[in-house]
Amino acid sequence: MGTSFPNSKALFLFSLQVLFTASFSSPSAAFANETLSQCLISHSQASYPITSAIYTTANSSYPTVLQSYIRNLRFNTSDTPKPILILTALHESHVQAAIICARKLSVQMKIRSGGHDYEGISYVSISSPFFILDMLNFRSVEVDIEAETAWVQAGATLGEVYYGITAKSKVHGFPAGVCPTVGVGGHFSGGGYGNMMRKYGLSVDNIVDARIINVNGEILDRGSMGEDLFWAIRGGGGASFGVVLAYKINLVRVPETVTVFLVRRTSEQNVTEVVYKWEQVAPKLHEDLFIRLTMDVVNGTNAGEKTIRATFRALFLGDAQRLLSLMSISFPELGLRSSDCIEMSWVESTLYWTDFPIGTPVDALLSRTPQVLTHLKRKSDYGKKIIPKDGLELIWRRMIELERPMLTFNPYGGKMGEIPATNTPFPHRAGNLWKMQYATNWDEDGDEAAQHYIELTRKLYRYMTPFVSKNPREAFLNYRDLDLGINHNGDESYEEGKVYGVKYFKGNFNRLVEIKTKVDPGNFFRNEQSIPVLPR
Ligand SMILES: Cc1cc2nc3c(=O)[nH]c(=O)nc-3n(C[C@H](O)[C@H](O)[C@H](O)COP(=O)(O)OP(=O)(O)OC[C@H]3O[C@@H](n4cnc5c(N)ncnc54)[C@H](O)[C@@H]3O)c2cc1C
């Protein structure tokens, strides 16, 4: 079982048995003898047969269907709790049937689109029995270039979105994440940021309509769901409010030529000075320029010695000449040379940013298989003040001690500082210099290895306490971290939800709770970190 879920395996299996028995053999349950698949079949329309979309554990394809969207190998073990069924919905009526049957049979429903949740909560559950509503077949991308908009379904990947836009126009793009296999359903509903956020904000800042299915099985658009619910599903996490079918997005303008670079500096190359300067300038640079900074530990020049390495990876919405002149004024300390700069189209830059070799055909964006699949743990923080040089050097020493966790800084400023914190549930706007991500990847299977690497990540997070936001220590919903709290969705649900809720949403948490209480008072749409309803 995934180590982030605190219950022991034995306790989990025991409760699974108890709950399963309670749900399916309780004499009071109206549909006691009806299995989930029978229920789904009886609630689907003959014109849209559902049978071929149902994968029970007896189906030989069940393991493949389950595993094909597990993006964290930590949750792909024989001990990981398994769904009793996976429904790869083919039609909206199948989603409606899933909601009706899950409610009738008291089976927990997990919604999965791209499966990239860092804690696997779209396909693992601490409550049981559970099943997965898999949205992978809802993947159309309909671009209207005249109107500069697109309807994108929840199961589409970001790569499919970028590909769909570029097939229609070389001067349009969309500000979303840098990993093309991430799914729209989780990414957009959780806030979605990428390397154009300083110019255009987040994905959610560019969403103009949506289609969702609510707890009553009704299909709603922006007009019929109302502005409150429309606000909530743009950063508050879709899975607390309904099943997102699709979002309508405003496309943004990109130049025909953009420029990228990747420059590295180690301790032997004045890393502290350069990073210190990056801190001063990165959040204030021209909004066409985004320079991400990643710190990791590598071998030093002397045998057995470890050193810290800074990687500066940039996207500039313009040509190399303009970039060089901008850098020579704003950030000469990096020593950017024209040979470091590579001009390409915006869509090619999306491949570059995810480490595809230069020249990779653009249709690589359509691949749903991630380039790397590994065990991982992620945590997040926000920085609001410059870390002094001695602070940086302390961090380097701590990182060398821990060796494995990496630290990434994504600069804010630009548009991110202009959009009011209450415009969407995502509250981390003006006043933030950067968002940080702690990342540890490992190849070894097993619980012992997982505990070891997770603890290294937690240690770095603890060491960073003096340098990050406080009261609350803020976090990014899309960087799901169950260390921040777990909701057992019982009597303490509101109190439990508040613990992680204020970190993810700050003052917007209360509005999310009010909306949740209105649209889903029975807390059907719940998970380990969902928005709770107000206590009765
Ligand atoms: C390799 C990698 C790179 C990443 N890069 C970025 C990045 O650049 N920027 C960024 O912001 N984030 C990034 N993330 C985080 C990513 O945005 C989130 O994990 C996001 O939630 C993933 O969406 P998904 O649909 O793939 O995930 P899923 O695991 O399918 O879903 C995540 C959550 O959303 C819910 N959900 C999914 N679909 C729906 C739906 N249709 N309706 C309602 N609820 C739904 C799930 O139930 C779950 O709670 C990255 C993650 C990974 C693994």
Side-chain angles (χ1 to χ4, degrees):
M1 175 181 174
T3 43
S4 315
F5 295 114
N7 304 13
S8 74
K9 189 169 76 185
L11 182 65
F12 175 81
L13 292 173
F14 173 73
S15 44
L16 185 145
Q17 215 172 355
V18 171
L19 280 165
F20 190 92
T21 312
S23 299
F24 286 93
S25 56
S26 155
S28 61
F31 292 85
N33 295 322
E34 192 175 13
T35 66
L36 182 56
S37 42
Q38 282 164 345
C39 179
L40 291 169
I41 292 164
S42 67
H43 285 87
S44 65
Q45 303 163 13
S47 43
Y48 300 108
I50 201 170
T51 323
S52 65
I54 297 174
Y55 295 86
T56 64
T57 49
N59 188 310
S60 61
S61 300
Y62 169 94
T64 319
V65 174
L66 176 62
Q67 287 165 6
S68 55
Y69 286 90
I70 292 182
R71 300 302 187 225
N72 184 349
L73 294 185
R74 192 149 62 94
F75 305 112
N76 193 15
T77 73
S78 53
D79 286 346
T80 307
K82 303 283 187 298
I84 55 169
L85 177 154
I86 306 162
L87 176 67
T88 58
L90 296 161
H91 185 259
E92 290 169 351
S93 61
H94 297 172
V95 178
Q96 292 169 313
I99 295 170
I100 292 166
C101 292
R103 290 184 67 185
K104 263 189 184 167
L105 299 168
S106 304
V107 186
Q108 159 104 50
M109 184 175 89
K110 287 295 184 124
I111 313 164
R112 180 164 77 172
S113 284
H116 282 64
D117 191 285
Y118 285 137
E119 300 280 12
I121 75 165
S122 55
Y123 53 87
V124 184
S125 182
I126 59 165
S127 52
S128 48
F130 75 101
F131 75 103
I132 299 174
L133 167 65
D134 203 321
M135 298 297 286
L136 84 155
N137 294 314
F138 285 73
R139 57 207 274 187
S140 75
V141 176
E142 285 170 23
V143 178
D144 180 345
I145 217 65
E146 297 284 291
E148 299 186 292
T149 59
W151 270 104
V152 293
Q153 286 190 312
T157 62
L158 299 184
E160 288 167 345
V161 175
Y162 300 156
Y163 185 89
I165 296 170
T166 209
K168 292 274 176 75
S169 162
K170 308 293 173 226
V171 290
H172 287 87
F174 190 68
V178 299
C179 171
T181 53
V182 163
V184 161
H187 183 73
F188 286 12
S189 68
Y193 87 94
N195 53 19
M196 292 203 288
M197 74 171 154
R198 302 191 66 252
K199 173 102 174 177
Y200 292 117
L202 306 173
S203 306
V204 290
D205 301 322
N206 297 278
I207 289 175
V208 290
D209 204 341
R211 280 166 55 77
I212 72 162
I213 304 195
N214 71 4
V215 69
N216 301 317
E218 296 157 331
I219 300 178
L220 308 173
D221 64 7
R222 180 174 182 170
S224 50
M225 79 178 81
E227 287 304 301
D228 271 349
L229 183 51
F230 182 61
W231 177 84
I233 58 165
R234 285 177 296 146
S240 295
F241 300 96
V243 178
V244 177
L245 296 171
Y247 284 107
K248 184 180 182 183
I249 56 176
N250 267 342
L251 307 181
V252 301
R253 296 283 177 98
V254 294
E256 268 180 60
T257 302
V258 305
T259 308
V260 294
F261 69 76
L262 189 150
V263 171
R264 293 195 154 119
R265 295 285 177 265
T266 60
S267 306
E268 288 110 13
Q269 297 165 304
N270 252 345
V271 73
T272 306
E273 291 296 330
V274 183
V275 169
Y276 186 64
K277 183 65 186 181
W278 176 93
E279 290 189 85
Q280 330 278 320
V281 300
K284 293 189 194 141
L285 285 169
H286 192 285
E287 61 186 20
D288 283 343
L289 180 53
F290 179 84
I291 310 179
R292 171 185 274 185
L293 165 66
T294 298
M295 311 298 308
D296 64 351
V297 177
V298 293
N299 290 329
T301 39
N302 300 324
E305 188 190 74
K306 295 286 174 193
T307 185
I308 201 86
R309 176 176 69 172
T311 301
F312 300 86
R313 192 194 285 260
L315 170 71
F316 178 61
L317 296 169
D319 61 28
Q321 207 182 354
R322 202 177 127 226
L323 170 63
L324 283 163
S325 84
L326 222 144
M327 287 292 284
S328 70
I329 298 163
S330 307
F331 194 9
E333 294 78 359
L334 189 63
L336 188 71
R337 297 163 307 183
S338 73
S339 56
D340 297 321
C341 301
I342 311 163
E343 292 183 335
M344 54 181 63
S345 67
W346 171 77
V347 78
E348 286 166 342
S349 79
T350 66
L351 287 168
Y352 174 86
W353 262 74
T354 193
D355 286 331
F356 279 99
I358 288 177
T360 301
V362 170
D363 59 12
L365 288 171
L366 299 178
S367 167
R368 291 192 150 227
T369 314
Q371 284 173 289
V372 183
L373 213 46
T374 181
H375 307 74
L376 53 92
K377 174 68 187 170
R378 299 287 187 266
K379 298 179 77 65
S380 62
D381 255 323
Y382 283 88
K384 294 177 194 290
K385 55 181 192 199
I386 302 284
I387 304 172
K389 284 186 203 168
D390 58 350
L392 289 176
E393 274 163 6
L394 178 69
I395 297 169
W396 307 160
R397 285 198 295 280
R398 297 301 200 194
M399 286 187 72
I400 289 171
E401 165 200 323
L402 301 171
E403 224 176 290
R404 289 297 283 270
M406 294 181 291
L407 193 53
T408 294
F409 294 70
N410 289 286
Y412 271 39
K415 188 85 175 169
M416 289 302 289
E418 291 163 18
I419 298 172
T422 52
N423 258 27
T424 68
F426 179 96
H428 320 285
R429 306 280 190 169
N432 288 291
L433 297 175
W434 42 74
K435 182 215 325 275
M436 288 134 90
Q437 186 189 65
Y438 305 80
T440 310
N441 298 339
W442 63 97
D443 293 325
E444 302 95 310
D445 288 327
D447 226 34
E448 207 176 311
Q451 284 301 350
H452 171 68
Y453 291 111
I454 290 170
E455 191 46 34
L456 293 184
T457 323
R458 289 176 180 153
K459 268 191 183 164
L460 183 58
Y461 180 81
R462 284 198 291 270
Y463 289 152
M464 291 299 291
T465 308
F467 309 115
V468 298
S469 65
K470 296 174 186 48
N471 304 316
R473 187 166 179 173
E474 299 170 30
F476 178 36
L477 180 68
N478 265 351
Y479 287 175
R480 176 98 53 207
D481 177 8
L482 289 185
D483 293 352
L484 302 179
I486 291 186
N487 207 315
H488 298 86
N489 290 299
D491 292 343
E492 306 298 317
S493 174
Y494 175 77
E495 289 307 323
E496 287 177 346
K498 205 171 161 184
V499 175
Y500 53 82
V502 294
K503 294 177 195 294
Y504 288 138
F505 307 112
K506 297 178 70 185
N508 292 332
F509 175 68
N510 286 340
R511 183 169 173 204
L512 286 168
V513 171
E514 277 165 28
I515 296 167
K516 166 77 176 180
T517 308
K518 209 156 69 186
V519 303
D520 181 22
N523 197 21
F524 169 73
F525 289 111
R526 64 188 182 278
N527 61 47
E528 289 71 14
Q529 281 194 340
S530 49
I531 301 296
V533 294
L534 276 169
R536 277 164 208 261

